[in-house]
Amino acid sequence: MNVFVGGDFLVRQSAAEAEGRVVVGGGFDLAKAPGASSVYNVGVVGVGSRVPPPDGTDFLVTGGAVTVAPGQALLAEGGVVHHAGPLTGAITGVDRPDPAAFTPYAGLSAQLTAASTCYAAAATTGTAVNQGYQTLFTGDGTSTLQVFTVDFDLAGASGGQQGLVFAGVPEGATVLVNLVGAARRIVTYTGELTDEGPLNRMRERLLWNFPDATSAEIGGTAQFQGSVLVGHPASTTTVTVPGLAGRFFTTGSLTHGGTGGGTGNEFHAYPFTGDLPACHVPTTTTEPTTTTQSTTTTSSTTTTTVGQTTTATTTVITTPATPTTTTHRVTGQAGLAGTGADVGLGVAIGGLLLVAGTTALAVVARRRRG
């Protein structure tokens, strides 16, 4: 899975494609601007990692409707459009209506929110300074996990594009950028279609985390590098960069395409292989309890005692389960799927096992090194 959207996924303006499997909790709505290309690809795309989901598997899964504007088309060549709500408009690929299509993913948003909140609490190891023409991230030069906390937009003074530069980050380190605040924007030209730039070389170990933003934007003319996590379920994220190379996970809604960047906007399926902070995610379990009631009867009176084992008729009664809360350790994800075919989550969701049809979707967490 390369793109997960807990809410609605809107395709607008000149957005072109989303490589890998796309899973949407709400509805998928394709209504591009007049004059733009009339199609939107999912699963297999023209450029990117060129590693699509296997033929015949789900390319798009929705918990709601799939709506395609008249004169436009959703292309899922070789794959399946697996939808819980009604389908309106033109598609290619296999049409598979199924009220339970999203059921295997139903608990994922809550775990993503918990992971996003956890990552935001990680101790900062470096500094981030907006210098107007660029934001300079300076690491400590030694930590295997470099953490930066940003409480400003990554944009120029007038809101225009700027560069993104990292220094003091050891080779092979994981980089976590927490963009805190209710509304955050990244507007940049940094990131290339080829892999010659420094940010491209960090891509598979770089996570941009928006833990509490209800409005997030990634725009500019960049081939934006790194995976993205948006943790607020009431959020709307707008992606208008020409390309985003990495996993994209939001618990809220997504608008792909707009006026804030390049045209032909694309998601490209590149994995995340970094090691993220250890988290403790609470889960609720129930444990049944039983009581034994003994009843002794005489000719004149009836006496009830608890736990009696003498001259009594014993009845076993199971009381309602009493909820108890336990805590399971969840650690940073390092072995994310590289194909975009299975879950391949860009965040740590430990012990998660989802089964959808014949496809096992597993995320196995491992302890962060160092």
Side-chain angles (χ1 to χ4, degrees):
M1 181 169 64
N2 189 52
V3 176
F4 177 86
V5 179
D8 296 326
F9 189 151
L10 309 181
V11 177
R12 296 295 185 261
Q13 297 298 322
S14 60
E17 58 194 26
E19 187 175 32
R21 177 173 297 150
V22 177
V23 176
V24 181
F28 180 92
D29 185 274
L30 195 167
K32 298 170 69 171
S37 168
S38 61
V39 302
Y40 187 86
N41 296 282
V42 293
V44 180
V45 301
V47 296
S49 67
R50 300 292 183 91
V51 185
D55 286 347
T57 63
D58 291 346
F59 282 15
L60 173 65
V61 178
T62 72
V66 175
T67 306
V68 180
Q72 301 184 19
L74 170 65
L75 307 185
E77 297 284 356
V80 175
V81 177
H82 193 185
H83 53 98
L87 185 150
T88 304
I91 70 164
T92 65
V94 177
D95 176 17
R96 183 177 296 163
D98 174 10
F102 185 73
T103 299
Y105 305 90
L108 187 51
S109 283
Q111 296 188 61
L112 289 168
T113 295
S116 180
T117 301
C118 165
Y119 299 157
T124 299
T125 62
T127 61
V129 179
N130 191 327
Q131 300 172 329
Y133 69 99
Q134 69 176 20
T135 290
L136 175 62
F137 298 87
T138 305
D140 64 8
T142 58
S143 298
T144 57
L145 174 64
Q146 298 283 317
V147 181
F148 303 92
T149 300
V150 176
D151 60 359
F152 51 83
D153 290 342
L154 302 183
S158 61
Q161 297 191 85
Q162 66 167 208
L164 302 175
V165 177
F166 288 83
V169 174
E171 185 71 23
T174 298
V175 177
L176 171 63
V177 180
N178 291 312
L179 296 105
V180 298
R184 280 289 161 258
R185 300 173 68 236
I186 301 175
V187 188
T188 185
Y189 52 79
T190 301
E192 304 170 6
L193 194 57
T194 62
D195 286 340
E196 298 171 357
L199 206 61
N200 291 58
R201 293 193 290 270
M202 294 171 55
R203 175 180 59 224
E204 295 178 9
R205 302 181 311 280
L206 173 60
L207 178 66
W208 307 89
N209 180 35
F210 298 79
D212 43 22
T214 55
S215 174
E217 178 183 340
I218 302 174
T221 59
Q223 293 290 328
F224 189 76
Q225 303 296 308
S227 293
V228 175
L229 172 60
V230 183
H232 200 301
S235 64
T236 298
T237 303
T238 302
V239 176
T240 59
V241 285
L244 191 152
R247 305 303 191 211
F248 183 91
F249 295 89
T250 176
T251 61
S253 293
L254 167 67
T255 299
H256 193 203
T259 59
T263 59
N265 320 98
E266 303 170 359
F267 286 108
H268 296 154
Y270 288 93
F272 179 85
T273 61
D275 292 328
L276 292 166
C279 302
H280 290 79
V281 178
T283 61
T284 301
T285 61
T286 58
E287 297 176 358
T289 59
T290 60
T291 59
T292 300
Q293 179 174 309
S294 300
T295 304
T296 303
T297 304
T298 67
S299 59
S300 58
T301 62
T302 300
T303 303
T304 300
T305 60
V306 177
Q308 192 80 14
T309 56
T310 61
T311 62
T313 301
T314 302
T315 304
V316 178
I317 301 173
T318 301
T319 63
T322 302
T324 60
T325 300
T326 60
T327 301
H328 298 285
R329 185 173 181 83
V330 177
T331 60
Q333 173 64 29
L336 303 176
T339 65
D342 294 319
V343 165
L345 286 176
V347 294
I349 310 294
L352 179 63
L353 178 62
L354 304 175
V355 179
T358 59
T359 304
L361 308 177
V363 179
V364 181
R366 82 174 183 189
R367 218 175 275 259
R368 178 172 64 84
R369 295 189 298 268

